[in-house]
Amino acid sequence: MKYLAIAPTLALILPAVCAEPVKFNRDIRPILSDNCFGCHGTDAHDAKAGLQLHSFEAATTPLGKKKDRRALVPGDRETSALWNRVSSKDPEEIMPPPDSNHRLSLEQIELLGRWIDQGGEYEGHWSFQTVAAPKGASIDSLIRAQFE
């Protein structure tokens, strides 16, 4: 019910957003880095509410006194605390909190939801990833394309 208010806007942006699979390094890491890692990053000592979002293991660790919730439940946005907090309209629940001076756009919120639905896979930092050339691409074809 709380999501109905954003439904018309999502209907407009979803076709563009759904064009290709969500990639952690390209789509999700920048959102988390800019808006979440300050409070929920790599330093366990300083992590607010004991929540860290920098790795799959940390994001799927049970939370709360009863250990009955997880920030990330791969494939299920509705039971992921991350989704429930970023999509909330309640100022006491929404993340990032209103006083943080961070705001997620509707597109960013939907990207997070799609990423969760697609399995919430993390990728290693881009600088440690192998770069693969597109199929059929060579330096000659790339240079030729500049002149066409």
Side-chain angles (χ1 to χ4, degrees):
M1 191 65 142
K2 63 183 173 183
Y3 309 115
L4 290 178
I6 64 171
T9 306
L10 289 177
L12 294 174
I13 64 171
L14 277 178
V17 174
C18 293
E20 59 184 287
V22 179
K23 294 285 194 178
F24 181 78
N25 282 338
R26 181 191 65 208
D27 304 313
I28 302 304
R29 186 185 299 275
I31 297 170
L32 297 179
S33 179
D34 292 347
N35 298 286
C36 307
F37 287 169
C39 295
H40 304 291
T42 59
D43 189 349
H45 178 69
D46 290 335
K48 306 276 188 193
L51 171 61
Q52 295 177 277
L53 295 171
H54 69 284
S55 71
F56 180 84
E57 294 75 20
T60 56
T61 297
L63 301 169
K65 292 178 183 174
K66 298 178 185 177
K67 304 286 186 200
D68 59 346
R69 321 178 264 120
R70 287 174 168 49
L72 175 63
V73 179
D76 188 357
R77 76 169 76 182
E78 295 302 324
T79 57
S80 296
L82 173 63
W83 171 256
N84 292 321
R85 298 300 289 268
V86 300
S87 64
S88 177
K89 297 296 178 205
D90 182 344
E92 298 294 318
E93 292 289 320
I94 194 166
M95 287 289 157
D99 63 355
S100 72
N101 295 320
H102 292 276
R103 301 285 177 275
L104 297 180
S105 69
L106 290 175
E107 182 180 15
Q108 290 173 317
I109 293 169
E110 184 55 29
L111 271 171
L112 288 167
R114 286 185 47 227
W115 172 66
I116 294 167
D117 288 345
Q118 292 174 9
E121 292 184 19
Y122 278 71
E123 296 173 306
H125 192 273
W126 65 266
S127 63
F128 298 111
Q129 301 300 307
T130 303
V131 178
K135 288 185 178 182
S138 68
I139 190 67
D140 294 334
S141 66
L142 294 174
I143 292 171
R144 192 176 307 113
Q146 293 296 314
F147 294 107
E148 292 178 353

